Amino acid sequence: MQFTTPSEEQRLAVEVFRTFAQREVDPVASKYRHRVMPWAAAHEVQQMVAEFGLPGAAIPKANGGLGLSCATQGLLFEQFIQAGGAALPGVQDGIVVARLLLAAPPAIRERYLPDVIAGRKIGALAAMEPAQSLAQARLEEGYCLVTADEIRVANGINSDFVICPARTAAGPLALVVLDREAHRYEVRLDPAAGRFDAGATEVFSTRARVAPDHLLAHGDEAQGLLAAVRTQQWIHGGLSSVGLMQLELDEAIAHARVHEEFGRPMAAHRLVAARIAEMATRVESARLLCERCLALVDAGKDCETEAGMARWFAAEAAIGLQHQARQLRGVDAPEWVIPRRAFGDRAIETQKLAAAQMLTGISALS
């Protein structure tokens, strides 16, 4: 597979989006980094970002999107993260939700996709990761009775609907769309999670009678869509790590250029220079893994295994880079506000085990 440098059109799109994100996204992200964003503010941000292409950049024009490649959308998303977007998970989840709705039955696609692309509605994703507890479903007289108790959900508090996988008694998986108005689900912060962390500390509960027109997929089709959702989540989780690393690397380079030790710029000392080279290599290695996955998606190839590798590698690289940056910059280095659903020892270990299962066919998650 060949990699190409960004085209002039891609560079222009990235530059325009970078200017917008730094001016509009960063102030909002800083304000709500440690607390729940109010409903109105969350929807306002979603619509603001939608005007500049996310989450519909890679959705075909015929379906209301911009018709760009997933690779181009990845470039825009990294800029969004560098402008503080890691604290605003609705946009990242919106990208995944939009891709999932694109494959939905026409009635569901027409009901939700235009509003998601325009930022008028926020969709949440429940229990999409391996080893997470699933909701239970029972098919009865053409309806799907869904029961969910304390199921992990990303970005659910301000959501208008939740896409939820549910396990039926017979075993097959069902993917259902639960509408906040129609099904009255409840989302709250997990009291066991400690401090608020956007998109990672919310739990979801419902007992809903779901009509057939809200059943997105069932059986093998649902399993295939769930794999596609995980692939998109993992790729963009990796890009989140890349964006944060690039931001920290830029700060470290600037620090090493202007600060002196023993009468010389820090960058002139071999140990510091070697550390900066190591940090830059971490960033580029993680970025290349993510870009390869996006290229595979654009080519219509399955890349769930590669996406899992990209996500855990990027997260682990980001933790290592942060440690190096804090050593280099000392007290001048602020601690990141890292989304725990993408980082943390448990999340990384689970991701490694999931990747190993896809390679060996044997699960070590239980």
Side-chain angles (χ1 to χ4, degrees):
M1 178 171 293
Q2 294 182 341
F3 286 97
T4 59
T5 58
S7 66
E8 186 61 32
E9 180 181 340
Q10 287 176 317
R11 284 194 290 268
L12 179 60
V14 167
E15 188 58 40
V16 170
F17 193 86
R18 179 190 294 119
T19 301
F20 152 73
Q22 290 173 346
R23 185 181 67 246
E24 303 292 345
V25 174
D26 190 39
V28 178
S30 300
K31 184 177 180 180
Y32 292 106
R33 189 159 281 133
H34 292 299
R35 58 195 179 99
V36 178
M37 183 178 292
W39 176 278
H43 284 73
E44 182 180 348
V45 168
Q46 203 79 2
Q47 292 182 53
M48 178 177 63
V49 177
E51 291 179 3
F52 281 81
L54 296 180
I59 300 298
K61 291 182 179 180
N63 297 104
L66 298 182
L68 303 177
S69 66
C70 289
T72 302
Q73 180 173 263
L75 296 174
L76 300 180
F77 180 71
E78 186 183 332
Q79 294 303 316
F80 174 74
I81 293 298
Q82 290 186 38
L88 305 172
V91 175
Q92 176 177 337
D93 292 328
I95 292 172
V96 181
V97 167
R99 296 284 296 187
L100 183 54
L101 290 173
L102 190 62
I108 294 177
R109 183 172 64 244
E110 292 167 9
R111 183 182 299 129
Y112 292 105
L113 183 57
D115 285 337
V116 168
I117 291 174
R120 292 187 295 267
K121 285 189 176 181
I122 296 176
L125 299 165
M128 296 290 177
E129 295 284 356
Q132 287 184 330
S133 299
L134 295 181
Q136 299 299 311
R138 187 171 78 253
L139 300 178
E140 185 177 287
E141 298 179 355
Y143 285 82
C144 186
L145 305 180
V146 178
T147 301
D149 291 305
E150 305 291 288
I151 299 298
R152 185 69 62 189
V153 62
N155 196 43
I157 286 180
N158 288 316
S159 65
D160 297 283
F161 63 95
V162 172
I163 297 177
C164 178
R167 184 71 65 186
T168 63
L173 193 69
L175 269 179
V176 295
V177 180
L178 300 173
D179 191 280
R180 186 181 285 272
E181 291 186 2
H183 303 116
R184 302 294 181 185
Y185 59 79
E186 175 188 354
V187 181
R188 65 181 182 84
L189 297 181
D190 183 357
R195 70 170 174 84
F196 173 70
D197 190 358
T201 55
E202 301 171 20
V203 289
F204 155 80
S205 300
T206 190
R207 282 170 175 76
R209 190 168 185 259
V210 182
D213 63 351
H214 279 74
L215 182 61
L216 198 153
H218 182 255
D220 291 342
E221 183 184 4
Q223 199 70 49
L225 286 177
L226 188 60
V229 167
R230 283 198 296 260
T231 297
Q232 288 288 330
Q233 282 186 311
W234 293 347
I235 293 172
H236 288 87
L239 286 171
S240 293
S241 302
V242 171
L244 290 170
M245 283 193 288
Q246 185 64 59
L247 197 62
E248 189 61 59
L249 175 62
D250 292 343
E251 292 288 339
I253 291 173
H255 182 90
R257 282 174 171 167
V258 300
H259 286 74
E260 293 188 356
E261 285 187 354
F262 306 107
R264 302 167 65 195
M266 291 180 65
H269 295 275
R270 290 188 177 185
L271 287 177
V272 173
R275 180 157 294 165
I276 289 174
E278 291 169 2
M279 292 166 65
T281 303
R282 288 179 189 269
V283 178
E284 288 303 318
S285 298
R287 181 180 284 120
L288 284 171
L289 282 173
C290 294
E291 288 180 350
R292 177 172 181 262
C293 291
L294 291 170
L296 288 169
V297 172
D298 281 330
K301 305 291 186 181
D302 174 66
C303 61
E304 186 179 7
T305 302
E306 291 85 349
M309 294 176 181
R311 188 193 187 199
W312 78 253
F313 180 86
E316 197 165 72
I319 292 173
L321 184 140
Q322 183 185 31
H323 177 69
Q324 288 182 310
R326 290 185 66 81
Q327 285 185 325
L328 190 152
R329 295 173 61 193
V331 295
D332 186 46
E335 185 176 358
W336 287 351
V337 179
I338 299 177
R340 274 181 282 173
R341 62 174 170 165
F343 293 82
D345 293 339
R346 183 176 179 182
I348 292 173
E349 186 65 23
T350 299
Q351 194 72 64
K352 289 180 180 179
L353 296 178
Q357 179 179 349
M358 287 181 278
L359 291 167
T360 65
I362 300 172
S363 175
L365 287 166
S366 57

